[in-house]
Amino acid sequence: VKILFLDQTGQLGGAELSLLDLAGFYHDRCLVALFSDGPFYQALQQRQIPAKVLRCRSLTTSKDSGLIAGLVGLYNLLPLVRQVLRLSRDFDVIYANTPKALMVGAMVSLMSHKPLVYHLRDIISPAHFSWVNCRLLIGLTNAMARLVIANSQATRQAFIQAGGKASIAHTVYNGFAVDRRQITPADRQRQRQELNLEQKFVVGHFSRLSPWKGQDILIAAIAHCPIDVVIMLVGDALFGEDEYVRQLHQQVAQLGLIDRVQFLGFRDDIPALMSACDLVAHTSTAPEPFGRVIVEAMLCETAVVGAAAGGVMELIEHKRTGWLTPPGDVAALTAVISQAQATPIVTARIAQQAHQYAAAHFQLLPIQQQIDALIASTSSPNHELTTTLCI
Ligand code: UDP
Ligand code: GLC
């Protein structure tokens, strides 16, 4: 099967990092077409995965746009539809990795009669999308997609609850190249020295800087922790959240935490940095669809605390493979950080259990094979029957 992957952004978010692995599985049997240029394109080139940046007007519609903006947005996608239609001649399946890619892919699938697969990585609900965008996404998916791959049960449930067809929707978690994450204790020590973190209890936050990722909750929490508790914030504003970044710096200054919070920007050495932390915090204030950072922390054997909503509930078993705190609850997060610091033996045991669990459940290859079997079934005449049997 030859696959035409579509993605709306050139930035390296979790959806793109996951696609990078998946497209690597197909290599010459795929093309990744992007609606804008950026580091994602460079990362694909580095891995010698066929990729192309399409020409288009800037895509201004946001997840919360209303009816008029939504229609204008669809109209603006038409030049992309023409280009993707031309490309689609050489491929068997169109694979949309993001909502705008779904919109383009649905129109192309209608014209080309090629099967459409939608990798649903968003929780379609009012917390994340406007009413108009929810209706548009569900309507197009139901009408055109042969297969929906949801990145968690929570994502699949939200899709069905919003009116999506249950029969086409399958849950497949992100897979990870487990062996690449082995970091030695010496590496860890060197990393801590370089960042001036020796003798500190280091809490890491690994996420793009965006209001719903809740970096402000973690900053507020450490203001109540002992002064040797420090934070490293790893990630950048990828989608124009400059105002939020300004607010974070202001919050750090106002709380007198300048010496205890490091902003490291976007990094591509996540396993090394995670291994240098004593605890990884996930603090999303809206339900996280999956949460790659949680599995990555587990694979690095660093203890993790996650915000109890969405896919995170499927990843962490409270007090066995990590901790869960209610989203936005500063006091609960403070309590977990203090407890993790005060009881290092328990923290290490939790991290170890999490490592075992993640290594057993999130291996890249079997997950890619599962997706491949689902995709193959979309081209077979009895595709609904086949996909049911394969899960
Ligand atoms: N990440 C990265 N560099 C950074 C910050 C984050 O490579 O500076 C990666 C992180 O390791 C994870 C992804 O970005 O793989 C974020 O994925 P997640 O599912 O946690 O959240 P998303 O941003 O997709 O909503
Ligand atoms: C999206 C979601 C994130 C998920 C990632 C990979 O970016 O926001 O929760 O982990 O996709 O599927």
Side-chain angles (χ1 to χ4, degrees), residues 7-10 34-36 54-63 69 72-81 98-101 103-104 239:
D7 195 294
Q8 71 198 49
T9 179
L34 305 181
F35 303 173
S36 64
L54 306 179
R55 275 168 296 111
C56 66
R57 282 175 226 147
S58 71
L59 303 174
T60 47
T61 19
S62 65
K63 284 179 167 184
V72 171
L74 270 185
Y75 176 79
N76 282 340
L77 293 176
L78 290 181
L80 282 171
V81 172
T98 58
K100 277 172 197 152
M103 290 178 193
V104 172
F239 304 109

PDB file of all heavy atoms in Angstrom, residues 7-10 34-36 54-63 69 72-81 98-101 103-104 239:
ATOM      1  N   ASP A   7      -0.295  16.689   6.625  1.00  0.00           N
ATOM      2  CA  ASP A   7      -0.216  17.335   7.943  1.00  0.00           C
ATOM      3  C   ASP A   7      -0.209  18.845   7.728  1.00  0.00           C
ATOM      4  O   ASP A   7       0.439  19.345   6.808  1.00  0.00           O
ATOM      5  CB  ASP A   7       1.050  16.888   8.684  1.00  0.00           C
ATOM      6  CG  ASP A   7       1.014  17.228  10.165  1.00  0.00           C
ATOM      7  OD1 ASP A   7       1.015  18.433  10.503  1.00  0.00           O
ATOM      8  OD2 ASP A   7       0.965  16.294  10.985  1.00  0.00           O
ATOM      9  N   GLN A   8      -0.934  19.553   8.586  1.00  0.00           N
ATOM     10  CA  GLN A   8      -1.121  20.994   8.353  1.00  0.00           C
ATOM     11  C   GLN A   8       0.059  21.860   8.787  1.00  0.00           C
ATOM     12  O   GLN A   8       0.134  23.026   8.438  1.00  0.00           O
ATOM     13  CB  GLN A   8      -2.386  21.472   9.074  1.00  0.00           C
ATOM     14  CG  GLN A   8      -2.282  21.510  10.579  1.00  0.00           C
ATOM     15  CD  GLN A   8      -3.645  21.548  11.250  1.00  0.00           C
ATOM     16  OE1 GLN A   8      -4.526  20.759  10.918  1.00  0.00           O
ATOM     17  NE2 GLN A   8      -3.832  22.469  12.176  1.00  0.00           N
ATOM     18  N   THR A   9       0.974  21.285   9.579  1.00  0.00           N
ATOM     19  CA  THR A   9       2.007  22.159  10.136  1.00  0.00           C
ATOM     20  C   THR A   9       3.433  21.672   9.831  1.00  0.00           C
ATOM     21  O   THR A   9       3.664  20.481   9.624  1.00  0.00           O
ATOM     22  CB  THR A   9       1.834  22.310  11.671  1.00  0.00           C
ATOM     23  OG1 THR A   9       2.872  23.140  12.179  1.00  0.00           O
ATOM     24  CG2 THR A   9       1.907  20.977  12.381  1.00  0.00           C
ATOM     25  N   GLY A  10       4.346  22.634   9.832  1.00  0.00           N
ATOM     26  CA  GLY A  10       5.762  22.305   9.693  1.00  0.00           C
ATOM     27  C   GLY A  10       6.439  22.279  11.056  1.00  0.00           C
ATOM     28  O   GLY A  10       7.637  22.048  11.167  1.00  0.00           O
ATOM     29  N   LEU A  34       3.118  18.547   3.497  1.00  0.00           N
ATOM     30  CA  LEU A  34       2.882  19.506   4.587  1.00  0.00           C
ATOM     31  C   LEU A  34       2.273  20.789   4.037  1.00  0.00           C
ATOM     32  O   LEU A  34       2.613  21.225   2.939  1.00  0.00           O
ATOM     33  CB  LEU A  34       4.198  19.850   5.287  1.00  0.00           C
ATOM     34  CG  LEU A  34       5.017  18.672   5.821  1.00  0.00           C
ATOM     35  CD1 LEU A  34       6.278  19.167   6.517  1.00  0.00           C
ATOM     36  CD2 LEU A  34       4.168  17.860   6.783  1.00  0.00           C
ATOM     37  N   PHE A  35       1.407  21.406   4.841  1.00  0.00           N
ATOM     38  CA  PHE A  35       0.785  22.656   4.403  1.00  0.00           C
ATOM     39  C   PHE A  35       1.629  23.869   4.797  1.00  0.00           C
ATOM     40  O   PHE A  35       1.264  24.994   4.489  1.00  0.00           O
ATOM     41  CB  PHE A  35      -0.627  22.810   4.994  1.00  0.00           C
ATOM     42  CG  PHE A  35      -1.572  21.678   4.669  1.00  0.00           C
ATOM     43  CD1 PHE A  35      -2.832  21.608   5.248  1.00  0.00           C
ATOM     44  CD2 PHE A  35      -1.204  20.680   3.777  1.00  0.00           C
ATOM     45  CE1 PHE A  35      -3.699  20.572   4.954  1.00  0.00           C
ATOM     46  CE2 PHE A  35      -2.066  19.624   3.475  1.00  0.00           C
ATOM     47  CZ  PHE A  35      -3.309  19.563   4.079  1.00  0.00           C
ATOM     48  N   SER A  36       2.698  23.654   5.549  1.00  0.00           N
ATOM     49  CA  SER A  36       3.646  24.752   5.761  1.00  0.00           C
ATOM     50  C   SER A  36       5.030  24.192   6.090  1.00  0.00           C
ATOM     51  O   SER A  36       5.162  23.051   6.534  1.00  0.00           O
ATOM     52  CB  SER A  36       3.157  25.737   6.837  1.00  0.00           C
ATOM     53  OG  SER A  36       3.072  25.097   8.056  1.00  0.00           O
ATOM     54  N   LEU A  54       3.653  22.004   0.463  1.00  0.00           N
ATOM     55  CA  LEU A  54       2.727  22.486  -0.564  1.00  0.00           C
ATOM     56  C   LEU A  54       2.617  24.006  -0.480  1.00  0.00           C
ATOM     57  O   LEU A  54       2.828  24.597   0.576  1.00  0.00           O
ATOM     58  CB  LEU A  54       1.354  21.840  -0.376  1.00  0.00           C
ATOM     59  CG  LEU A  54       1.364  20.312  -0.332  1.00  0.00           C
ATOM     60  CD1 LEU A  54      -0.043  19.771  -0.108  1.00  0.00           C
ATOM     61  CD2 LEU A  54       1.943  19.735  -1.629  1.00  0.00           C
ATOM     62  N   ARG A  55       2.284  24.609  -1.618  1.00  0.00           N
ATOM     63  CA  ARG A  55       2.105  26.063  -1.626  1.00  0.00           C
ATOM     64  C   ARG A  55       0.670  26.392  -1.239  1.00  0.00           C
ATOM     65  O   ARG A  55      -0.268  25.786  -1.759  1.00  0.00           O
ATOM     66  CB  ARG A  55       2.378  26.616  -3.029  1.00  0.00           C
ATOM     67  CG  ARG A  55       3.848  26.898  -3.315  1.00  0.00           C
ATOM     68  CD  ARG A  55       4.089  27.155  -4.789  1.00  0.00           C
ATOM     69  NE  ARG A  55       3.800  25.984  -5.592  1.00  0.00           N
ATOM     70  CZ  ARG A  55       2.797  25.864  -6.437  1.00  0.00           C
ATOM     71  NH1 ARG A  55       1.938  26.845  -6.596  1.00  0.00           N
ATOM     72  NH2 ARG A  55       2.606  24.766  -7.143  1.00  0.00           N
ATOM     73  N   CYS A  56       0.494  27.330  -0.299  1.00  0.00           N
ATOM     74  CA  CYS A  56      -0.879  27.734   0.032  1.00  0.00           C
ATOM     75  C   CYS A  56      -0.869  29.068   0.754  1.00  0.00           C
ATOM     76  O   CYS A  56       0.168  29.515   1.232  1.00  0.00           O
ATOM     77  CB  CYS A  56      -1.555  26.691   0.911  1.00  0.00           C
ATOM     78  SG  CYS A  56      -0.834  26.536   2.528  1.00  0.00           S
ATOM     79  N   ARG A  57      -2.084  29.682   0.800  1.00  0.00           N
ATOM     80  CA  ARG A  57      -2.206  30.901   1.614  1.00  0.00           C
ATOM     81  C   ARG A  57      -2.076  30.481   3.070  1.00  0.00           C
ATOM     82  O   ARG A  57      -2.298  29.316   3.403  1.00  0.00           O
ATOM     83  CB  ARG A  57      -3.612  31.495   1.429  1.00  0.00           C
ATOM     84  CG  ARG A  57      -3.740  32.238   0.117  1.00  0.00           C
ATOM     85  CD  ARG A  57      -5.183  32.685  -0.067  1.00  0.00           C
ATOM     86  NE  ARG A  57      -5.599  32.365  -1.428  1.00  0.00           N
ATOM     87  CZ  ARG A  57      -6.823  32.028  -1.781  1.00  0.00           C
ATOM     88  NH1 ARG A  57      -7.772  31.941  -0.889  1.00  0.00           N
ATOM     89  NH2 ARG A  57      -7.110  31.773  -3.025  1.00  0.00           N
ATOM     90  N   SER A  58      -1.765  31.464   3.967  1.00  0.00           N
ATOM     91  CA  SER A  58      -1.608  31.051   5.363  1.00  0.00           C
ATOM     92  C   SER A  58      -2.962  30.575   5.892  1.00  0.00           C
ATOM     93  O   SER A  58      -4.008  31.147   5.575  1.00  0.00           O
ATOM     94  CB  SER A  58      -1.055  32.189   6.200  1.00  0.00           C
ATOM     95  OG  SER A  58      -2.032  33.163   6.341  1.00  0.00           O
ATOM     96  N   LEU A  59      -2.910  29.498   6.692  1.00  0.00           N
ATOM     97  CA  LEU A  59      -4.145  28.880   7.190  1.00  0.00           C
ATOM     98  C   LEU A  59      -4.517  29.554   8.503  1.00  0.00           C
ATOM     99  O   LEU A  59      -3.939  29.259   9.543  1.00  0.00           O
ATOM    100  CB  LEU A  59      -3.924  27.384   7.393  1.00  0.00           C
ATOM    101  CG  LEU A  59      -3.458  26.624   6.154  1.00  0.00           C
ATOM    102  CD1 LEU A  59      -3.141  25.194   6.493  1.00  0.00           C
ATOM    103  CD2 LEU A  59      -4.526  26.681   5.061  1.00  0.00           C
ATOM    104  N   THR A  60      -5.491  30.468   8.425  1.00  0.00           N
ATOM    105  CA  THR A  60      -5.741  31.293   9.611  1.00  0.00           C
ATOM    106  C   THR A  60      -6.816  30.732  10.534  1.00  0.00           C
ATOM    107  O   THR A  60      -6.906  31.139  11.675  1.00  0.00           O
ATOM    108  CB  THR A  60      -6.173  32.711   9.190  1.00  0.00           C
ATOM    109  OG1 THR A  60      -7.170  32.573   8.197  1.00  0.00           O
ATOM    110  CG2 THR A  60      -4.997  33.508   8.673  1.00  0.00           C
ATOM    111  N   THR A  61      -7.644  29.792  10.049  1.00  0.00           N
ATOM    112  CA  THR A  61      -8.722  29.300  10.930  1.00  0.00           C
ATOM    113  C   THR A  61      -8.131  28.638  12.165  1.00  0.00           C
ATOM    114  O   THR A  61      -7.149  27.918  12.086  1.00  0.00           O
ATOM    115  CB  THR A  61      -9.605  28.213  10.254  1.00  0.00           C
ATOM    116  OG1 THR A  61      -8.895  27.692   9.170  1.00  0.00           O
ATOM    117  CG2 THR A  61     -10.965  28.702   9.937  1.00  0.00           C
ATOM    118  N   SER A  62      -8.787  28.901  13.319  1.00  0.00           N
ATOM    119  CA  SER A  62      -8.284  28.280  14.533  1.00  0.00           C
ATOM    120  C   SER A  62      -9.327  27.294  15.021  1.00  0.00           C
ATOM    121  O   SER A  62     -10.430  27.216  14.492  1.00  0.00           O
ATOM    122  CB  SER A  62      -8.019  29.351  15.582  1.00  0.00           C
ATOM    123  OG  SER A  62      -9.248  29.935  15.918  1.00  0.00           O
ATOM    124  N   LYS A  63      -8.948  26.546  16.078  1.00  0.00           N
ATOM    125  CA  LYS A  63      -9.843  25.511  16.581  1.00  0.00           C
ATOM    126  C   LYS A  63     -11.156  26.091  17.108  1.00  0.00           C
ATOM    127  O   LYS A  63     -12.130  25.383  17.262  1.00  0.00           O
ATOM    128  CB  LYS A  63      -9.148  24.755  17.714  1.00  0.00           C
ATOM    129  CG  LYS A  63      -8.092  23.783  17.225  1.00  0.00           C
ATOM    130  CD  LYS A  63      -7.448  23.119  18.409  1.00  0.00           C
ATOM    131  CE  LYS A  63      -6.606  21.922  17.982  1.00  0.00           C
ATOM    132  NZ  LYS A  63      -6.055  21.219  19.134  1.00  0.00           N
ATOM    133  N   ALA A  69     -15.832  32.238   9.665  1.00  0.00           N
ATOM    134  CA  ALA A  69     -14.389  31.952   9.601  1.00  0.00           C
ATOM    135  C   ALA A  69     -14.155  30.517   9.138  1.00  0.00           C
ATOM    136  O   ALA A  69     -13.232  30.238   8.367  1.00  0.00           O
ATOM    137  CB  ALA A  69     -13.744  32.178  10.964  1.00  0.00           C
ATOM    138  N   VAL A  72     -14.729  30.439   5.336  1.00  0.00           N
ATOM    139  CA  VAL A  72     -13.607  31.104   4.658  1.00  0.00           C
ATOM    140  C   VAL A  72     -12.387  30.179   4.705  1.00  0.00           C
ATOM    141  O   VAL A  72     -11.670  30.002   3.719  1.00  0.00           O
ATOM    142  CB  VAL A  72     -13.274  32.469   5.332  1.00  0.00           C
ATOM    143  CG1 VAL A  72     -11.979  33.053   4.784  1.00  0.00           C
ATOM    144  CG2 VAL A  72     -14.433  33.448   5.140  1.00  0.00           C
ATOM    145  N   GLY A  73     -12.193  29.541   5.855  1.00  0.00           N
ATOM    146  CA  GLY A  73     -11.072  28.624   6.022  1.00  0.00           C
ATOM    147  C   GLY A  73     -11.149  27.488   5.012  1.00  0.00           C
ATOM    148  O   GLY A  73     -10.152  27.147   4.375  1.00  0.00           O
ATOM    149  N   LEU A  74     -12.348  26.915   4.861  1.00  0.00           N
ATOM    150  CA  LEU A  74     -12.519  25.806   3.899  1.00  0.00           C
ATOM    151  C   LEU A  74     -12.187  26.282   2.491  1.00  0.00           C
ATOM    152  O   LEU A  74     -11.510  25.600   1.727  1.00  0.00           O
ATOM    153  CB  LEU A  74     -13.971  25.314   3.917  1.00  0.00           C
ATOM    154  CG  LEU A  74     -14.312  24.203   4.905  1.00  0.00           C
ATOM    155  CD1 LEU A  74     -15.744  23.738   4.718  1.00  0.00           C
ATOM    156  CD2 LEU A  74     -13.362  23.009   4.738  1.00  0.00           C
ATOM    157  N   TYR A  75     -12.670  27.521   2.156  1.00  0.00           N
ATOM    158  CA  TYR A  75     -12.416  28.085   0.828  1.00  0.00           C
ATOM    159  C   TYR A  75     -10.905  28.240   0.601  1.00  0.00           C
ATOM    160  O   TYR A  75     -10.381  27.907  -0.453  1.00  0.00           O
ATOM    161  CB  TYR A  75     -13.143  29.427   0.698  1.00  0.00           C
ATOM    162  CG  TYR A  75     -12.868  30.138  -0.601  1.00  0.00           C
ATOM    163  CD1 TYR A  75     -13.521  29.760  -1.778  1.00  0.00           C
ATOM    164  CD2 TYR A  75     -11.940  31.173  -0.657  1.00  0.00           C
ATOM    165  CE1 TYR A  75     -13.245  30.396  -2.979  1.00  0.00           C
ATOM    166  CE2 TYR A  75     -11.654  31.821  -1.851  1.00  0.00           C
ATOM    167  CZ  TYR A  75     -12.314  31.424  -3.006  1.00  0.00           C
ATOM    168  OH  TYR A  75     -12.033  32.044  -4.192  1.00  0.00           O
ATOM    169  N   ASN A  76     -10.213  28.708   1.659  1.00  0.00           N
ATOM    170  CA  ASN A  76      -8.760  28.908   1.555  1.00  0.00           C
ATOM    171  C   ASN A  76      -7.992  27.606   1.350  1.00  0.00           C
ATOM    172  O   ASN A  76      -6.834  27.609   0.950  1.00  0.00           O
ATOM    173  CB  ASN A  76      -8.218  29.604   2.812  1.00  0.00           C
ATOM    174  CG  ASN A  76      -8.512  31.094   2.779  1.00  0.00           C
ATOM    175  OD1 ASN A  76      -8.776  31.655   1.705  1.00  0.00           O
ATOM    176  ND2 ASN A  76      -8.499  31.727   3.943  1.00  0.00           N
ATOM    177  N   LEU A  77      -8.666  26.500   1.676  1.00  0.00           N
ATOM    178  CA  LEU A  77      -7.984  25.210   1.519  1.00  0.00           C
ATOM    179  C   LEU A  77      -8.006  24.709   0.071  1.00  0.00           C
ATOM    180  O   LEU A  77      -7.288  23.769  -0.279  1.00  0.00           O
ATOM    181  CB  LEU A  77      -8.637  24.144   2.416  1.00  0.00           C
ATOM    182  CG  LEU A  77      -8.500  24.334   3.938  1.00  0.00           C
ATOM    183  CD1 LEU A  77      -9.274  23.255   4.689  1.00  0.00           C
ATOM    184  CD2 LEU A  77      -7.035  24.280   4.371  1.00  0.00           C
ATOM    185  N   LEU A  78      -8.839  25.372  -0.779  1.00  0.00           N
ATOM    186  CA  LEU A  78      -9.023  24.838  -2.146  1.00  0.00           C
ATOM    187  C   LEU A  78      -7.722  24.697  -2.959  1.00  0.00           C
ATOM    188  O   LEU A  78      -7.545  23.680  -3.635  1.00  0.00           O
ATOM    189  CB  LEU A  78     -10.062  25.663  -2.909  1.00  0.00           C
ATOM    190  CG  LEU A  78     -11.505  25.478  -2.392  1.00  0.00           C
ATOM    191  CD1 LEU A  78     -12.493  26.308  -3.198  1.00  0.00           C
ATOM    192  CD2 LEU A  78     -11.914  24.013  -2.394  1.00  0.00           C
ATOM    193  N   PRO A  79      -6.800  25.686  -2.904  1.00  0.00           N
ATOM    194  CA  PRO A  79      -5.549  25.491  -3.654  1.00  0.00           C
ATOM    195  C   PRO A  79      -4.796  24.229  -3.192  1.00  0.00           C
ATOM    196  O   PRO A  79      -4.163  23.545  -3.991  1.00  0.00           O
ATOM    197  CB  PRO A  79      -4.720  26.744  -3.323  1.00  0.00           C
ATOM    198  CG  PRO A  79      -5.708  27.743  -2.838  1.00  0.00           C
ATOM    199  CD  PRO A  79      -6.844  26.997  -2.230  1.00  0.00           C
ATOM    200  N   LEU A  80      -4.903  23.925  -1.895  1.00  0.00           N
ATOM    201  CA  LEU A  80      -4.252  22.714  -1.384  1.00  0.00           C
ATOM    202  C   LEU A  80      -4.930  21.472  -1.937  1.00  0.00           C
ATOM    203  O   LEU A  80      -4.280  20.482  -2.268  1.00  0.00           O
ATOM    204  CB  LEU A  80      -4.353  22.689   0.147  1.00  0.00           C
ATOM    205  CG  LEU A  80      -3.392  23.583   0.907  1.00  0.00           C
ATOM    206  CD1 LEU A  80      -3.758  23.620   2.388  1.00  0.00           C
ATOM    207  CD2 LEU A  80      -1.970  23.058   0.749  1.00  0.00           C
ATOM    208  N   VAL A  81      -6.262  21.536  -2.025  1.00  0.00           N
ATOM    209  CA  VAL A  81      -7.019  20.373  -2.518  1.00  0.00           C
ATOM    210  C   VAL A  81      -6.529  20.018  -3.919  1.00  0.00           C
ATOM    211  O   VAL A  81      -6.285  18.848  -4.230  1.00  0.00           O
ATOM    212  CB  VAL A  81      -8.537  20.680  -2.523  1.00  0.00           C
ATOM    213  CG1 VAL A  81      -9.316  19.557  -3.214  1.00  0.00           C
ATOM    214  CG2 VAL A  81      -9.024  20.874  -1.092  1.00  0.00           C
ATOM    215  N   THR A  98      -3.994  15.601  10.910  1.00  0.00           N
ATOM    216  CA  THR A  98      -4.452  16.757  11.707  1.00  0.00           C
ATOM    217  C   THR A  98      -5.824  17.206  11.177  1.00  0.00           C
ATOM    218  O   THR A  98      -6.207  16.821  10.073  1.00  0.00           O
ATOM    219  CB  THR A  98      -3.466  17.941  11.562  1.00  0.00           C
ATOM    220  OG1 THR A  98      -3.358  18.271  10.167  1.00  0.00           O
ATOM    221  CG2 THR A  98      -2.079  17.638  12.107  1.00  0.00           C
ATOM    222  N   PRO A  99      -6.553  18.049  11.922  1.00  0.00           N
ATOM    223  CA  PRO A  99      -7.906  18.440  11.485  1.00  0.00           C
ATOM    224  C   PRO A  99      -7.949  19.117  10.108  1.00  0.00           C
ATOM    225  O   PRO A  99      -8.803  18.775   9.282  1.00  0.00           O
ATOM    226  CB  PRO A  99      -8.362  19.409  12.580  1.00  0.00           C
ATOM    227  CG  PRO A  99      -7.597  18.999  13.787  1.00  0.00           C
ATOM    228  CD  PRO A  99      -6.262  18.522  13.300  1.00  0.00           C
ATOM    229  N   LYS A 100      -7.039  20.073   9.847  1.00  0.00           N
ATOM    230  CA  LYS A 100      -7.082  20.729   8.523  1.00  0.00           C
ATOM    231  C   LYS A 100      -6.686  19.752   7.419  1.00  0.00           C
ATOM    232  O   LYS A 100      -7.178  19.829   6.293  1.00  0.00           O
ATOM    233  CB  LYS A 100      -6.175  21.961   8.500  1.00  0.00           C
ATOM    234  CG  LYS A 100      -6.878  23.171   9.093  1.00  0.00           C
ATOM    235  CD  LYS A 100      -5.968  24.355   9.264  1.00  0.00           C
ATOM    236  CE  LYS A 100      -6.601  25.342  10.230  1.00  0.00           C
ATOM    237  NZ  LYS A 100      -5.601  26.149  10.943  1.00  0.00           N
ATOM    238  N   ALA A 101      -5.805  18.831   7.731  1.00  0.00           N
ATOM    239  CA  ALA A 101      -5.440  17.789   6.767  1.00  0.00           C
ATOM    240  C   ALA A 101      -6.660  16.919   6.469  1.00  0.00           C
ATOM    241  O   ALA A 101      -6.864  16.466   5.344  1.00  0.00           O
ATOM    242  CB  ALA A 101      -4.298  16.946   7.317  1.00  0.00           C
ATOM    243  N   MET A 103      -9.738  17.972   6.490  1.00  0.00           N
ATOM    244  CA  MET A 103     -10.640  18.740   5.613  1.00  0.00           C
ATOM    245  C   MET A 103     -10.181  18.639   4.165  1.00  0.00           C
ATOM    246  O   MET A 103     -10.979  18.390   3.259  1.00  0.00           O
ATOM    247  CB  MET A 103     -10.715  20.187   6.088  1.00  0.00           C
ATOM    248  CG  MET A 103     -11.460  20.276   7.412  1.00  0.00           C
ATOM    249  SD  MET A 103     -11.544  21.928   8.059  1.00  0.00           S
ATOM    250  CE  MET A 103     -12.107  21.589   9.732  1.00  0.00           C
ATOM    251  N   VAL A 104      -8.898  18.818   3.934  1.00  0.00           N
ATOM    252  CA  VAL A 104      -8.355  18.699   2.571  1.00  0.00           C
ATOM    253  C   VAL A 104      -8.499  17.249   2.091  1.00  0.00           C
ATOM    254  O   VAL A 104      -8.981  16.980   0.984  1.00  0.00           O
ATOM    255  CB  VAL A 104      -6.870  19.131   2.537  1.00  0.00           C
ATOM    256  CG1 VAL A 104      -6.242  18.836   1.192  1.00  0.00           C
ATOM    257  CG2 VAL A 104      -6.743  20.614   2.870  1.00  0.00           C
ATOM    258  N   PHE A 239       2.674  27.754  18.172  1.00  0.00           N
ATOM    259  CA  PHE A 239       1.545  28.236  17.373  1.00  0.00           C
ATOM    260  C   PHE A 239       1.111  29.644  17.803  1.00  0.00           C
ATOM    261  O   PHE A 239      -0.072  29.906  18.015  1.00  0.00           O
ATOM    262  CB  PHE A 239       0.384  27.219  17.447  1.00  0.00           C
ATOM    263  CG  PHE A 239       0.811  25.836  17.010  1.00  0.00           C
ATOM    264  CD1 PHE A 239       0.939  24.796  17.933  1.00  0.00           C
ATOM    265  CD2 PHE A 239       1.132  25.582  15.687  1.00  0.00           C
ATOM    266  CE1 PHE A 239       1.353  23.519  17.526  1.00  0.00           C
ATOM    267  CE2 PHE A 239       1.548  24.313  15.271  1.00  0.00           C
ATOM    268  CZ  PHE A 239       1.660  23.290  16.194  1.00  0.00           C
TER     269      PHE A 239
END
